[in-house]
Amino acid sequence: MSRLPFAGLSVVEVAVGAGDLGLGAAGGVPGMLLADLGADVVRVVGAEPVPIDRDVPWGRAWHRDKRLVATDDRDEVFALLRYADVALVYGPEALVEARGLGYRDLCAANPSLVYARCRPSRTAAGTVEDYGLLVEANAGLCTQLAGHRPGPIFVDVRASGIGTASLLVVSVLALLGRRARTGAGGWAETSLYDGMLATLGCMIGRSERAAPEIEGYWEKGSTFPNFLYRCADGELIQVWFGGKGMYRSLIEVLGDEPSAQGYYTDQMTGKLGERAARWTSFFATEPRDVWIRRLREVGVACEPVLGPGEALADPHLAEIGLAVPRADAGHRDVVVGSPISMRPLGPRDGTAAPPGAASGDLLAGVRVVDFSAFVAGPLAAEVLADLGADVIKIEPPEGEAMRAAAYAVAACQRGKRSLALDIGAPAARPVVERLLAGADVVLHNFRVGVAERLGIDEETVARLNPDAVYCHASAFGATGPRAALPANDALMQAVTGFERAVGGAGNDPLAATWIPLDMAGGWVAAVGVLAGLYARSAGGRGQHVVTSLLGSGMLLQSGVFERDGELVRGPELDARQTGYGPGYRLYEGGDGRWFALVVPDEPAWRRLAALVPDGSLPEVYAPLRGGAADDAARRAEAVLETAFAAGPAAGWVGRLRGAGLLAELVEPLDRDGFRRAVLDDPVNRVLGRVVSYETADWGRFEQIGPLLRCGPAAGGGPRLMLPGVGEHSVEILTELGFGREEIDALLAAQVARQMKSD
């Protein structure tokens, strides 16, 4: 443990009146990630367990390396926090403040404390308690994915939980980095609503004058086929062919007619959609294993569609540390390991890493050279820009491939400066070397082997700049039997169990269309970079950081684990996609409207029983299916479904709230209505969750803004701008020390490009 970068760091995780089911990953994963990096984590819970968590096993994985303290004694908790480095605090405002666990109380006793608070979610629609279902129902996320029946569904994408976990860890690490320079602590706050938004950056946008196909995506959503197919043996396969030459190879393997115009033209003309439908019969002719072998032999990316946790049996995960064996109370467990691996970068040169600025933005003075493309890598760099780093985006003179996908540019490039450069050209080599030598962070998400060919690999960076944090945001990890395989969001939804979780018991899988795993991958890579910067400040040397889309996808389902050879999954979505059981699900009223209901404890169950005719609700508290009271839970669901169908949904919500129960009406929002609910909410605008600024191509543009709220004196916020291709090329080349003649030569040779100004 002494060799881990966070060894000696004390973290206290305080869950006051909040549990694993409601918070999801938000309540357990931040502490788990810090513990995986070597921190000593103490988890403080109430003297009595949270009742609704009784049959929720996720905490066994999330809290595995934490020391548990069960107490309601404020002085005992305060004593732990007095000497802690980090506090992660959850729970209702009244409980937290009443126990003197707010930031003002704690910083008076411990000025160097880094305090991160998950608050109940607040928008113009009101305040929602810390249950992911209630937050997502209130926001309208339940209406944004077509399910296996009409109406809103329980969207089991873990969006609010994993997004909030990411926000918490990023904030903590950024504040720890500043503390290493200044000695001062600080605070950060977020909520499950913020966490939900953190996963939706590619989904929410609105422009003044974007092209119809761009604005149409934000208004109506994606119409792109999913390319998920059932094979002859009944198993499902997910296919992706966005890489060079993959489309032609796929057509040849399937024996379909050749494409005269190519991938992008077929996509625009609708022929790709026609092929996607036609291929259903093609894949039905052979078993899945045959198709996987054939497709991979010609370089077409594909993955089996697995259930949550099934990938833990893949030897690749064990080899790269994503499937970790453990012994627990006589059981043999396999849990999801850390999605971040770190080690020192190259040999130490005896000098300390540059300290960075002493004040201002959290990453002021930090320069990031971003070679990445698509979503996960660029999003990580954008998060760093939001924290005040100077991010230089390196892209080809014609612009990176995802420039054609406006949603990705909007969600992942804000606040950067663009240097358009052909990094493979010999004439560009001096530029690349100066970029590497002057960077605090070098980030890329190329496939394994490409960085070496381009001369931006770890060995080169270590030689030129041994103090750098070098981050490879990979697909399947940098080593292991699957390291060289390509991947994207859809493939990772398939292999990590995401699609099956959303589909519900016994149903076909469903894929979320807003690329949530790519977004998760970006946040995890940002965490990795910040962890590397912290380790550099503590140890005086650079760091090599590897994250992966696979690890990020597994993190979403990290509450699932293997025990004695059997998967332990906990609550699962039912076939009608309503929820986990009578006390945590969606119900339909007699008017066809839907609402969400959470019954967190026995008193709430008794109050609910009083609203149901004839005392027909089972007496035993059974909020979830699958536990010891499974029969009672299923009977309770039938009773409540019948009762609620007798009246309108809004009426039931009023009666339930009047009885002190937690219920949220689901507004029937289409895609445009959902984005308007986010963008036009005045509370969102005040808190900076939504930003608006001028862009060259789209005029006034609105989007989800920087969601990191930190203080005190955490800086003035990021630059609100989207860079054009090569907009800052001359500026950056000049900063690197190149003269006017040298720059003109690079531009004339088309090795570099400067965007023309109007």
Side-chain angles (χ1 to χ4, degrees), residues 116 163 180 220 228 337 359 420-421 435 470 486 490 494 498 513 530 553 628 731 734:
K220 299 177 183 178
L228 187 150
S359 61
L421 184 72
L435 285 166
Y470 179 82
F498 187 100
T513 58
L530 289 164
E731 174 182 296
T734 302

Side-chain angles (χ1 to χ4, degrees), residues 550-615:
L550 177 62
S552 303
M554 294 300 293
L555 193 64
L556 269 70
Q557 302 287 342
S558 55
V560 177
F561 61 98
E562 188 180 287
R563 169 153 288 188
D564 300 329
E566 299 291 333
L567 284 174
V568 180
R569 288 179 171 149
E572 295 183 274
L573 190 60
D574 61 313
R576 295 193 66 239
Q577 298 173 293
T578 64
Y580 296 150
Y584 202 84
R585 60 160 281 182
L586 299 173
Y587 288 97
E588 185 177 15
D591 57 349
R593 296 283 302 277
W594 290 74
F595 64 93
L597 174 66
V598 172
V599 189
D601 51 33
E602 289 88 342
W605 188 264
R606 290 194 293 271
R607 293 195 300 274
L608 176 62
L611 299 178
V612 177
D614 304 324

Side-chain angles (χ1 to χ4, degrees), residues 31 41 262 289 328 340 367 480 702 734:
V41 181
D289 287 349
D328 181 24
I340 301 163
R367 171 164 286 189
E702 301 164 283
T734 302

Side-chain angles (χ1 to χ4, degrees), residues 189-558:
E189 67 170 27
T190 189
S191 67
L192 292 180
Y193 181 82
D194 289 294
M196 180 193 74
L197 295 184
T199 71
L200 301 179
C202 286
M203 181 180 182
I204 304 293
R206 184 168 60 198
S207 66
E208 182 180 30
R209 60 168 188 266
E213 62 270 18
I214 294 174
E215 186 65 20
Y217 169 80
W218 288 315
E219 180 181 358
K220 299 177 183 178
S222 173
T223 58
F224 197 68
N226 188 32
F227 305 110
L228 187 150
Y229 297 100
R230 190 171 299 280
C231 302
D233 55 358
E235 300 291 347
L236 289 158
I237 186 173
Q238 179 74 61
V239 182
W240 175 66
F241 44 91
K244 185 177 180 180
M246 287 187 185
Y247 186 47
R248 182 180 63 254
S249 296
L250 175 61
I251 289 173
E252 290 175 356
V253 169
L254 291 175
D256 199 4
E257 61 184 49
S259 170
Q261 302 297 324
Y263 175 75
Y264 288 106
T265 300
D266 283 2
Q267 181 181 342
M268 296 301 295
T269 61
K271 290 183 178 179
L272 180 59
E274 295 173 4
R275 288 184 186 273
R278 187 162 68 239
W279 290 342
T280 299
S281 61
F282 288 41
F283 278 97
T285 61
E286 297 284 357
R288 182 170 67 187
D289 287 349
V290 172
W291 284 120
I292 288 177
R293 176 178 54 79
R294 288 182 181 177
L295 293 175
R296 288 181 178 171
E297 282 177 352
V298 297
V300 176
C302 59
E303 291 295 333
V305 180
L306 304 179
E310 290 181 8
L312 287 170
D314 187 333
H316 176 77
L317 274 76
E319 183 166 335
I320 65 173
L322 283 178
V324 180
R326 301 175 61 90
D328 181 24
H331 296 284
R332 293 176 293 103
D333 292 351
V334 179
V335 298
V336 175
S338 176
I340 301 163
S341 65
M342 289 176 56
R343 58 176 170 78
L345 178 75
R348 187 172 182 177
D349 65 356
T351 61
S359 61
D361 290 324
L362 292 170
L363 293 187
V366 172
R367 171 164 286 189
V368 179
V369 179
D370 175 20
F371 289 100
S372 62
F374 302 102
V375 175
L379 175 61
E382 180 185 276
V383 172
L384 302 176
D386 285 347
L387 290 166
D390 174 26
V391 178
I392 299 175
K393 175 174 180 57
I394 312 300
E395 58 184 321
E398 66 275 13
E400 74 142 287
M402 289 301 281
R403 287 261 178 195
Y407 61 85
V409 174
C412 303
Q413 307 300 351
R414 184 182 59 234
K416 304 178 186 180
R417 296 191 291 164
S418 171
L419 168 56
L421 184 72
D422 180 2
I423 62 175
R429 191 62 204 168
V431 180
V432 172
E433 292 197 351
R434 290 192 198 181
L435 285 166
L436 298 178
D440 295 286
V441 176
V442 177
L443 169 67
H444 76 85
N445 61 347
F446 293 120
R447 289 172 63 179
V448 170
V450 175
E452 287 76 10
R453 176 166 56 81
L454 295 173
I456 59 169
D457 53 289
E458 180 197 2
E459 182 178 346
T460 301
V461 174
R463 173 175 54 82
L464 294 170
N465 184 0
D467 288 330
V469 172
Y470 179 82
C471 179
H472 180 194
S474 69
F476 286 93
T479 60
R482 308 191 70 189
L485 294 180
N488 75 336
D489 181 271
L491 295 173
M492 289 306 178
Q493 285 195 44
V495 77
T496 62
F498 187 100
E499 291 178 334
R500 284 221 178 269
V502 178
N507 294 331
D508 282 347
L510 283 181
T513 58
W514 51 88
I515 53 175
L517 266 64
D518 271 341
M519 299 296 286
W523 282 102
V524 168
V527 168
V529 169
L530 289 164
L533 288 170
Y534 177 79
R536 183 183 78 162
S537 68
R541 63 187 301 185
Q543 297 290 317
H544 181 208
V545 178
V546 176
T547 65
S548 67
L549 274 183
L550 177 62
S552 303
M554 294 300 293
L555 193 64
L556 269 70
Q557 302 287 342
S558 55

Side-chain angles (χ1 to χ4, degrees), residues 3-77:
R3 292 179 296 178
L4 292 173
F6 284 33
L9 194 75
S10 170
V11 178
V12 178
E13 186 180 85
V14 183
V16 177
D20 290 335
L21 180 67
L23 289 168
V29 165
M32 182 187 80
L33 290 177
L34 294 172
D36 286 341
L37 290 167
D40 175 41
V41 181
V42 177
R43 176 172 174 81
V44 181
V45 297
E48 296 296 327
V50 176
I52 201 169
D53 282 351
R54 183 176 61 201
D55 292 319
V56 180
W58 302 333
R60 297 178 199 164
W62 292 335
H63 311 315
R64 58 188 183 246
D65 288 317
K66 304 171 187 176
R67 179 161 55 92
L68 182 66
V69 175
T71 182
D72 293 322
D73 187 324
R74 180 262 185 196
D75 292 338
E76 186 177 354
V77 180

Side-chain angles (χ1 to χ4, degrees), residues 595 597 599 603-617 639-640 642-644 646 651-663:
F595 64 93
L597 174 66
V599 189
W605 188 264
R606 290 194 293 271
R607 293 195 300 274
L608 176 62
L611 299 178
V612 177
D614 304 324
S616 52
L617 192 70
V639 168
L640 293 173
T642 300
F644 293 144
W652 272 112
V653 169
R655 292 177 65 188
L656 292 163
R657 289 181 172 178
L661 293 161
L662 301 174

